[in-house]
């Protein structure tokens, strides 16, 4: 009986142990199921803390109606497009050319063949791998539409040597040809071949690139939405300018259409927006009074007065000379930028930070101011009071604020000047028509080389329609240069000729101010392109 009792006790103890183990296993399984159903464990929370994520909201004064960078010089695709699209080569923080979608490139001794070796494994947003046929289709289309491409490439041709090798057969070798492939306005974005082939004169039907963000939605006059591209293939080298490693640190980018300055400023202070580029400077005191906001000085560009040189009064250089003599450049820049902390009076087509090309040639012409002499020149050219139209949009405060003193100063020498105010899309359309304007104020973002300013080149067919044999000869000589020293020497001659002929007038150099929430980290502006990769926001 004792033995039987002992056996019963042992069996009871074993059953208790088995039951406890089963319960523990069941609890563990339930915990795992909850985790799989979305309930995070401590490790998951730690991983999420390392991934910033979130939504970055940008209050923008004017959004584009389309984002195809091949077919327009509009600033919208230029500013938003680099988040979506990438190029073969790009510009680093030192204004030097670096490969982007190209692994490397090689120029033949005679400059007639440039061979691009592509990076392998780079995905488009549609999941397809980028290959040589996509690059060739994209570059051919860009060459068809871009004024800069027509100027630099002429009848040059592209071919795919194999899946990852692209060859550019150069018609006329140029010292600055590769730099032209890194142009920032109307830039040569690489897209899938099938999307290029499906495009029409209005643009591509889908916005598919290789960038760190992919296009999600465009609601006209409301917002543009981009989302993080999870399969983005970054470079490993250090970030700088538009080159190097890129990483989407937020999940979504919203670019909101907010044309009213006060609304954008109050929205930033209240937290409705996280970044507002191109702040009007009269809003600075209000922004500085907020503990939630940081201000950032951005890259300087140039402000110009552009002439219609195809029709009307300003086909005569003496009329352009009259405008140069009549205008108080400091007064115009002060009207645009409030005070001299935000601008410089300088005749150069490139800014001082671009030490490779900067020159002050033409300073004597730039500094001339003689309204009485301006009146005499108008008499010489036979000006008889015909209406001079300055086309302008209030959606660009730089334009509008500069046009007001320009109108007054030209009226003071007897010109009949009208401000023709319109919305931004209409302004873009009218600018292409020589029958609809005589003058326009234009802000030009920095470019890697001065040759990329489209108002210089007769072959560019850019609104304003420069046609100067002497300027064209300087451009030709720069492209034929063998060294930077000889190219710079020829460029100084070009700038002297520029101020003699005045295809446009450089009024001054400007500084852009951006405002951002103090929760935003890593944001930069380079050559007036806002950089939203490598940018994060604190929850």
């Amino acid at each position: 009986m004792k033995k039987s009792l002992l056996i019963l006790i042992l069996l009871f103890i074993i059953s208790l142990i088995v039951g406890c183990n089963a319960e523990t296993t069941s609890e563990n399984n339930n915990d795992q199921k909850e985790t799989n159903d979305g309930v995070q464990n401590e490790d998951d929370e730690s991983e999420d803390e390392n991934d910033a994520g979130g939504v970055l909201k940008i209050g923008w004064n004017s959004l584009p109606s389309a984002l195809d960078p091949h077919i327009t010089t509009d600033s919208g695709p230029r500013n938003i497009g680099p988040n979506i699209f990438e190029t073969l080569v790009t510009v680093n923080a030192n204004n030097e050319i670096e490969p982007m979608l190209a692994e490397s490139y090689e120029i033949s001794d005679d400059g007639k063949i440039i061979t691009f070796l592509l990076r392998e494994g780079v995905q488009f947003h549609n999941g397809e791998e980028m290959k040589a046929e996509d690059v060739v289709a994209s570059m051919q289309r860009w060459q068809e539409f871009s004024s800069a491409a027509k100027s630099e490439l002429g009848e040059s041709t592209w071919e795919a040597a194999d899946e990852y090798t692209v060859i550019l057969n150069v018609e006329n070798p140029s010292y600055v040809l590769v730099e032209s492939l890194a142009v920032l306005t109307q830039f040569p974005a690489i897209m899938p071949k099938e999307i290029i082939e499906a495009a029409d004169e209005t643009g591509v039907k889908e916005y598919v690139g290789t960038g760190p963000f992919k296009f999600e939605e465009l609601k006209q006059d409301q917002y543009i939405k981009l989302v993080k591209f999870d399969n983005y293939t970054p470079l490993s080298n250090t970030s700088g300018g538009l080159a190097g490693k890129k990483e989407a640190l937020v999940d979504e980018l919203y670019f909101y259409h907010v044309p009213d300055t006060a609304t954008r400023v109050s929205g930033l202070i209240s937290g409705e927006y996280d970044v507002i580029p191109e702040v009007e400077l009269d809003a600075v005191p209000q922004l500085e009074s907020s503990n939630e906001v940081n201000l950032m000085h951005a890259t300087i560009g140039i402000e110009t007065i552009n002439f219609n040189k195809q029709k009307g009064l300003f086909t005569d250089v003496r009329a352009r000379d009259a405008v140069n003599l009549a205008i108080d450049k400091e007064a115009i820049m002060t009207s645009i930028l409030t005070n001299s902390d935000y601008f410089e009076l300088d005749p150069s087509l490139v800014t001082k930070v671009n030490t490779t090309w900067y020159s002050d040639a033409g300073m004597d012409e730039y500094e001339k101011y003689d309204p009485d002499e301006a009146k005499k020149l108008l008499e010489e050219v036979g000006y008889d009071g015909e209406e001079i139209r300055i086309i302008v949009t209030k959606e660009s405060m730089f334009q509008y604020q500069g046009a007001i003193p320009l109108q007054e100063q030209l009226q003071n020498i007897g010109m009949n000047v009208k401000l023709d105010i319109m919305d931004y899309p209409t302004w873009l359309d009218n600018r292409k028509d020589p029958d609809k304007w005589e003058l326009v104020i234009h802000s030009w973002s920095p470019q890697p080389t001065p040759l990329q300013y489209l108002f210089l080149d007769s072959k560019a067919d850019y609104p304003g329609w420069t046609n100067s044999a002497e300027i064209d000869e300087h451009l030709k000589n720069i492209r034929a240069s063998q060294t930077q020293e000889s190219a710079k020497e020829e460029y100084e001659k070009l700038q002297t000729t520029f101020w003699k002929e005045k295809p446009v007038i450089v009024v001054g150099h400007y500084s852009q101010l951006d405002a951002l929430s103090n929760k935003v980290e890593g944001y930069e502006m380079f050559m007036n392109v806002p950089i939203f990769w490598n940018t994060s926001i604190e929850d």
Side-chain angles (χ1 to χ4, degrees):
M1 289 201 42
K2 288 181 180 179
K3 193 177 289 186
S4 298
L5 183 61
L6 181 60
I7 290 171
L8 289 172
I9 292 171
L10 287 172
L11 290 172
F12 178 75
I13 293 171
I14 290 170
S15 67
L16 287 175
I17 293 172
V18 170
C20 288
N21 284 341
E23 185 176 352
T24 301
T25 301
S26 175
E27 289 175 356
N28 288 340
N29 287 338
N30 287 336
D31 287 345
Q32 183 64 44
K33 182 178 184 301
E34 288 179 351
T35 299
N36 291 339
D37 287 343
V39 179
Q40 297 174 321
N41 59 30
E42 291 181 1
D43 289 340
D44 291 335
E45 290 175 359
S46 175
E47 288 176 4
D48 282 351
E49 289 174 0
N50 293 330
D51 185 8
V55 179
L56 193 68
K57 298 164 290 183
I58 302 101
W60 212 284
N61 60 350
S62 179
L63 289 182
S65 58
L67 288 170
D68 184 348
H70 287 176
I71 65 173
T72 179
T73 59
D74 183 10
S75 61
R78 180 189 194 278
N79 292 336
I80 298 173
N83 296 285
I84 306 168
F85 305 108
E86 295 179 308
T87 50
L88 282 175
V89 296
T90 193
V91 187
N92 68 20
N94 297 317
N95 292 298
E96 299 165 336
I97 301 301
E98 285 190 14
M100 174 53 70
L101 292 177
E103 180 77 29
S104 61
Y105 64 90
E106 182 178 350
I107 305 174
S108 64
D109 291 341
D110 61 4
K112 291 190 174 183
I113 297 177
I114 304 178
T115 304
F116 297 90
L117 183 64
L118 304 181
R119 292 162 55 200
E120 297 186 23
V122 175
Q123 282 192 30
F124 284 114
H125 299 152
N126 61 7
E128 298 178 3
E129 184 183 6
M130 178 200 70
K131 294 191 177 175
E133 64 178 8
D134 304 303
V135 173
V136 170
S138 297
M139 298 308 287
Q140 287 174 336
R141 180 173 184 265
W142 174 69
Q143 191 172 338
E144 177 186 354
F145 286 100
S146 165
S147 297
K150 291 173 184 176
S151 296
E152 291 299 330
L153 297 181
E155 299 299 321
S156 300
T157 60
W158 298 84
E159 62 176 291
D162 58 42
E163 286 191 335
Y164 300 104
T165 305
V166 172
I167 294 175
L168 173 59
N169 299 295
V170 180
E171 180 189 21
N172 296 307
S174 168
Y175 180 74
V176 294
L177 193 147
V178 174
E179 282 82 353
S180 73
L181 305 182
V183 67
L184 304 179
T185 300
Q186 201 171 5
F187 65 92
I190 304 301
M191 309 179 204
K193 179 184 178 184
E194 60 268 25
I195 286 179
I196 295 295
E197 292 176 341
D200 59 24
E201 67 278 359
T202 65
V204 295
K205 304 306 178 186
E206 299 176 76
Y207 304 127
V208 177
T210 59
F213 292 94
K214 61 182 181 179
F215 175 81
E216 178 81 5
E217 186 179 14
L218 188 160
K219 284 202 171 183
Q220 194 66 48
D221 296 328
Q222 294 185 50
Y223 63 79
I224 292 172
K225 179 184 177 182
L226 310 184
V227 298
K228 178 179 179 178
F229 179 39
D230 291 327
N231 293 325
Y232 178 68
T233 310
L235 290 164
S236 59
N237 56 315
T238 304
S239 300
L242 301 179
K245 184 179 180 180
K246 301 177 184 177
E247 187 176 6
L249 297 179
V250 295
D251 298 318
E252 297 176 349
L253 291 177
Y254 273 92
F255 299 86
Y256 289 101
H257 179 67
V258 193
D260 180 67
T261 299
T263 303
R264 287 193 292 141
V265 169
S266 61
L268 178 68
I269 293 173
S270 69
E272 185 176 358
Y273 309 117
D274 304 307
V275 180
I276 52 171
E278 299 181 31
V279 174
E280 281 73 22
L281 297 178
D282 55 5
V284 168
Q286 182 182 359
L287 291 166
E288 287 181 333
S289 67
S290 172
N291 294 326
E292 307 299 321
V293 172
N294 293 321
L295 296 176
M296 175 186 292
H297 277 272
T299 308
I300 292 173
I302 64 171
E303 197 75 8
T304 64
I305 298 170
N306 292 25
F307 298 100
N308 177 350
K309 300 179 295 299
Q310 187 175 114
K311 291 187 175 182
L313 178 66
F314 297 112
T315 57
D316 192 317
V317 68
R318 292 173 296 174
R320 305 197 295 269
D321 286 335
V323 172
N324 186 55
L325 290 167
I327 62 173
D328 181 340
K329 298 179 178 68
E330 184 173 9
I332 293 175
M333 294 302 290
T334 301
S335 177
I336 295 170
L337 293 150
T338 307
N339 64 64
S340 59
D341 290 342
Y342 301 105
F343 67 83
E344 292 184 62
L345 298 175
D346 196 310
S348 180
L349 293 171
V350 297
T351 57
K352 289 179 179 177
V353 296
N354 190 344
T355 55
T356 303
W357 291 98
Y358 176 80
S359 171
D360 65 357
M363 180 66 83
D364 55 341
E365 281 290 319
Y366 176 80
E367 291 181 333
K368 285 182 178 179
Y369 177 68
D370 190 338
D372 290 333
E373 182 63 24
K375 293 176 183 177
K376 292 178 183 177
L377 286 174
L378 288 181
E379 291 178 6
E380 285 183 21
V381 299
Y383 175 69
D384 61 0
E386 64 263 30
E387 187 174 75
I388 302 300
R389 295 159 297 177
I390 307 175
I391 58 169
V392 64
T393 173
K394 288 186 177 181
E395 293 175 47
S396 169
M397 293 308 296
F398 273 31
Q399 273 192 39
Y400 183 67
Q401 296 295 348
I404 294 172
L406 175 61
Q407 179 188 33
E408 181 181 357
Q409 291 169 16
L410 296 183
Q411 287 173 338
N412 289 340
I413 63 167
M415 296 181 75
N416 175 19
V417 183
K418 172 190 175 184
L419 293 189
D420 193 357
I421 301 172
M422 59 200 68
D423 61 47
Y424 187 63
T426 304
W427 179 84
L428 284 173
D429 287 338
N430 285 3
R431 190 183 58 163
K432 300 174 186 176
D433 188 343
D435 291 321
K436 292 186 176 178
W437 64 280
E438 283 72 45
L439 295 171
V440 63
I441 290 183
H442 204 301
S443 301
W444 292 87
S445 301
Q447 297 289 349
T449 79
L451 276 68
Q452 291 168 333
Y453 289 116
L454 300 176
F455 54 72
L456 286 175
D457 199 331
S458 300
K459 292 184 293 184
D461 193 32
Y462 184 78
W465 303 283
T466 298
N467 187 9
S468 166
E470 192 170 349
I471 289 177
D472 287 345
E473 185 66 20
H474 291 309
L475 295 174
K476 177 182 175 182
N477 292 340
I478 292 171
R479 292 178 177 121
S481 299
Q482 299 298 313
T483 66
Q484 180 59 40
E485 182 180 3
S486 62
K488 173 71 175 296
E489 183 179 342
E490 188 66 32
Y491 168 64
E492 290 183 344
K493 295 177 184 177
L494 183 153
Q495 189 161 295
T496 300
T497 300
F498 165 86
W499 275 104
K500 181 182 73 173
E501 299 197 6
K502 302 178 186 64
V504 308
I505 291 175
V506 175
V507 184
H509 294 189
Y510 66 86
S511 175
Q512 182 173 307
L513 196 67
D514 293 358
L516 50 150
S517 164
N518 57 17
K519 295 180 179 181
V520 174
E521 294 184 0
Y523 172 80
E524 293 182 5
M525 174 75 73
F526 177 72
M527 288 191 172
N528 285 20
V529 176
I531 297 176
F532 294 109
W533 57 85
N534 303 339
T535 299
S536 62
I537 184 164
E538 179 186 314
D539 291 334

